[in-house]
Amino acid sequence: MWLRSLLLLLAAAEPASTLTGPSPPVTVPLLEDRGHAVDLPDTDPRVQRRVTGWAPEQVTVALSASPTSAWVSWITGDFQMGGAVKPLDPGTVGSVVRYGLAADSLVREATGDALVYSQLYPFEGLQNYTSGIIHHVRLQGLEPATKYYYQCGDPAILGATSAVHAFRTMPAVGPRSYPGRIAVVGDLGLTYNTTSTVEHMTSNQPDLILLVGDVSYANLYLTNGTGTDCYSCSFAKSTPIHETYQPRWDYWGRYMEPVTSTTPMMVVEGNHEEEPQAGNRTFVAYSSRFAFPSQESGSFSPFYYSFDVGGIHFVMLAAYADYSKSGEQYRWLEKDLAKVDRSVTPWLVAGWHAPWYSTYKAHYREAECMRVAMEELLYSYGLDIAFTGHVHAYERSNRVFHYTLDPCGAVHISVGDGGNREKMATTHADEPGRCPDPLSTPDPFMGGFCAFNFTSGPAAGRFCWDRQPDYSAYREASFGHGILEVKNETHALWRWHRNQDMYNGVGDEIYIVREPHRCLLNSTRPASISGSRTI
């Protein structure tokens, strides 16, 4: 009798599954004010420069398109701030990585490229910035699922090499090969809440980190280092251009180095990476500081690319580059998806910044033009999961396509709750009097207007629902991160962890189950296949 009771108890403790159908909508009430997130000051030892001379700092590992290759990036030399700055010569220091299977046997060597970028403002009184020397080196011929030790820098210059670090390559590409845990975070910034998120995340020992945009929030600062929670509220009317304080990028890289030097991290751009400067240049810090498998995946763009991890094909998309059906990104995505063999990589997972299915008032339906342009294509190829950020709260959808519950639609998960200093999103568009004006919703950078009133279902004739939409399964305004554990070709466990919980606490969890016999036909499925249920 006791054994049967124990088995029933264990069965009851199992997470829910998408296989049983849509989850009833859940909103976790906000029981306490989240308050203001406070940035780490430049006096914090974790953000200060701890090396001298040409010694490397801000060391980061990123994946290439396949597990037999990886990128190592770092910075040598310090940044400069002032009215007139002279960039360092990238050729001053070599870009070399020595690596091997043991810390005392770094018998292989790879070389790469170096660059310096500047953030320039042609306005009196504003300070300009030029970076240290940024190095990117690609290691090739690696064995999958193998721990490699490495040292980066220039061995020809005394004191210009790093300590020995180590990282593990991803599992071999194949349907029965998966990493243990993939961490997913968004909108991190560099606050004390950020440090809590990162500490909770590292306690889960991820094999890979996905950062879905909004990294350092350097653009919440003036060039003199004065910051704010809301730039448009504090500075927009008093500055000739949206300023940034670029040293915040260096602070972020220094703080994150203990994580990024050992755990590969893949990044996609967010709106806070735009950072306009002289000559109408944008996204310069983002595209300079990180390495991307752009060439390897055929996109040749830092804004969108793809890569394989075991039996998962990841597609990282750009919410702030042309996503129209006539644009380069869309054409690349068509080609990339057409090459995916779902018998080899059963899982198709995408990441971008601005969510398509957020029900919070903040950024409500802001990315509608991107959804209209790309959702049908991704649906036709059986997208399983979409990770986004931007909205500073957590939300998970049921399987959905075109605002309709669909057993073959993707699960959309927004993790814009990483900890940045902007306010938490706490208001929902379906609350009385909270539905935004449709004309206020288009993304200010991309422009366009695609968010019209719903034409069917409970919200027909209106811009917002009058209750939590059926496609919204779970939403909560708390800081945190998520962990994806792909178990096999059909089952993946998703868990979201709140910062205020204990390190092993779980706020939301569900098994995401693929049904290839139902949703895929020769690796693709026309978007017109039936099985949807109108809501």
Side-chain angles (χ1 to χ4, degrees), residues 295-515:
Q295 182 175 353
E296 305 98 280
S297 63
S299 74
F300 301 98
S301 169
F303 303 113
Y304 51 93
Y305 56 88
S306 66
F307 57 98
D308 290 330
V309 174
I312 313 167
H313 184 70
F314 284 97
V315 177
M316 306 297 272
L317 299 176
Y320 303 97
D322 183 11
Y323 41 65
S324 67
K325 293 185 178 181
S326 60
E328 292 183 5
Q329 179 177 192
Y330 191 93
R331 290 196 297 270
W332 167 81
L333 180 59
E334 284 184 305
K335 294 177 182 177
D336 186 82
L337 294 176
K339 292 186 292 185
V340 177
D341 184 345
R342 300 300 281 272
S343 68
V344 178
T345 51
W347 288 86
L348 177 60
V349 177
W352 62 88
H353 186 59
W356 295 351
Y357 287 100
S358 172
T359 60
Y360 285 85
K361 181 181 179 182
H363 306 300
Y364 180 69
R365 300 182 70 182
E366 184 179 282
E368 190 73 353
C369 286
M370 183 185 182
R371 186 195 68 80
V372 169
M374 290 186 154
E375 185 178 30
E376 186 170 333
L377 176 62
L378 291 167
Y379 179 84
S380 71
Y381 279 92
L383 176 67
D384 295 302
I385 308 170
F387 290 116
T388 57
H390 199 38
V391 177
H392 300 160
Y394 171 73
E395 186 164 15
R396 170 178 57 84
S397 81
N398 285 305
R399 287 194 175 275
V400 61
F401 171 64
H402 194 50
Y403 294 104
T404 301
L405 292 175
D406 187 318
C408 297
V411 175
H412 290 253
I413 299 173
S414 181
V415 288
D417 57 339
N420 72 84
R421 71 178 290 174
E422 289 185 320
K423 292 180 180 179
M424 202 89 195
T426 58
T427 304
H428 307 109
D430 47 84
E431 295 175 18
R434 299 294 189 176
C435 184
D437 180 349
L439 295 179
S440 71
T441 59
D443 173 72
F445 180 72
M446 294 303 296
F449 182 81
C450 303
F452 299 96
N453 287 352
F454 294 105
T455 58
S456 62
R462 299 193 304 272
F463 191 62
C464 303
W465 286 56
D466 59 3
R467 57 179 172 82
Q468 183 175 356
D470 291 347
Y471 56 78
S472 173
Y474 185 102
R475 59 189 185 185
E476 179 177 343
S478 292
F479 293 115
H481 75 284
I483 295 289
L484 180 70
E485 298 180 43
V486 180
K487 304 295 186 179
N488 52 43
E489 299 98 314
T490 57
H491 288 64
L493 177 61
W494 166 256
R495 285 176 167 154
W496 172 69
H497 300 262
R498 301 182 191 92
N499 283 3
Q500 65 263 37
D501 291 343
M502 297 297 290
Y503 282 98
N504 59 351
V506 176
D508 177 41
E509 61 181 347
I510 191 167
Y511 273 107
I512 300 172
V513 182
R514 299 179 59 249
E515 298 182 80

Side-chain angles (χ1 to χ4, degrees), residues 96-377:
V96 181
V97 176
R98 289 177 172 172
Y99 60 104
L101 299 177
D104 59 355
S105 183
L106 307 179
V107 296
R108 299 174 66 179
E109 182 174 293
T111 59
D113 300 314
L115 62 95
V116 170
Y117 83 89
S118 297
Q119 188 81 11
L120 305 176
Y121 299 105
F123 301 100
E124 185 177 354
L126 301 192
Q127 296 190 57
N128 296 313
Y129 169 96
T130 184
S131 71
I133 301 171
I134 302 171
H135 306 261
H136 299 300
V137 175
R138 185 183 174 198
L139 314 185
Q140 301 186 65
L142 305 177
E143 290 295 323
T146 301
K147 187 173 185 178
Y148 281 91
Y149 296 84
Y150 70 96
Q151 185 177 51
C152 59
D154 188 345
I157 300 176
L158 182 65
T161 56
S162 71
V164 176
H165 302 285
F167 73 96
R168 190 172 184 84
T169 55
M170 294 297 102
V173 176
R176 295 175 179 83
S177 178
Y178 298 96
R181 294 175 177 175
I182 300 169
V184 188
V185 289
D187 302 69
L188 265 181
L190 188 56
T191 71
Y192 290 100
N193 286 316
T194 305
T195 64
S196 178
T197 299
V198 172
E199 288 166 6
H200 278 76
M201 179 184 71
T202 54
S203 74
N204 279 317
Q205 299 180 317
D207 301 283
L208 171 65
I209 301 169
L210 302 183
L211 175 49
V212 288
D214 283 3
V215 181
S216 73
Y217 285 80
N219 72 339
L220 291 184
Y221 285 78
L222 300 179
T223 61
N224 64 12
T226 302
T228 179
D229 293 346
C230 174
Y231 189 99
S232 62
C233 307
S234 302
F235 305 135
K237 296 181 180 180
S238 60
T239 58
I241 190 173
H242 190 132
E243 300 178 32
T244 71
Y245 187 63
Q246 289 293 300
R248 297 298 302 183
W249 277 102
D250 295 285
Y251 301 164
W252 193 90
R254 291 165 185 163
Y255 169 75
M256 290 294 292
E257 181 179 347
V259 180
T260 60
S261 60
T262 59
T263 305
M265 180 179 70
M266 306 303 287
V267 185
V268 71
E269 90 287 349
N271 57 299
H272 282 275
E273 279 71 72
E274 180 193 349
E275 301 184 333
Q277 60 167 299
N280 295 319
R281 302 181 70 205
T282 56
F283 296 99
V284 177
Y286 162 81
S287 57
S288 300
R289 289 176 176 270
F290 298 109
F292 312 92
S294 304
Q295 182 175 353
E296 305 98 280
S297 63
S299 74
F300 301 98
S301 169
F303 303 113
Y304 51 93
Y305 56 88
S306 66
F307 57 98
D308 290 330
V309 174
I312 313 167
H313 184 70
F314 284 97
V315 177
M316 306 297 272
L317 299 176
Y320 303 97
D322 183 11
Y323 41 65
S324 67
K325 293 185 178 181
S326 60
E328 292 183 5
Q329 179 177 192
Y330 191 93
R331 290 196 297 270
W332 167 81
L333 180 59
E334 284 184 305
K335 294 177 182 177
D336 186 82
L337 294 176
K339 292 186 292 185
V340 177
D341 184 345
R342 300 300 281 272
S343 68
V344 178
T345 51
W347 288 86
L348 177 60
V349 177
W352 62 88
H353 186 59
W356 295 351
Y357 287 100
S358 172
T359 60
Y360 285 85
K361 181 181 179 182
H363 306 300
Y364 180 69
R365 300 182 70 182
E366 184 179 282
E368 190 73 353
C369 286
M370 183 185 182
R371 186 195 68 80
V372 169
M374 290 186 154
E375 185 178 30
E376 186 170 333
L377 176 62

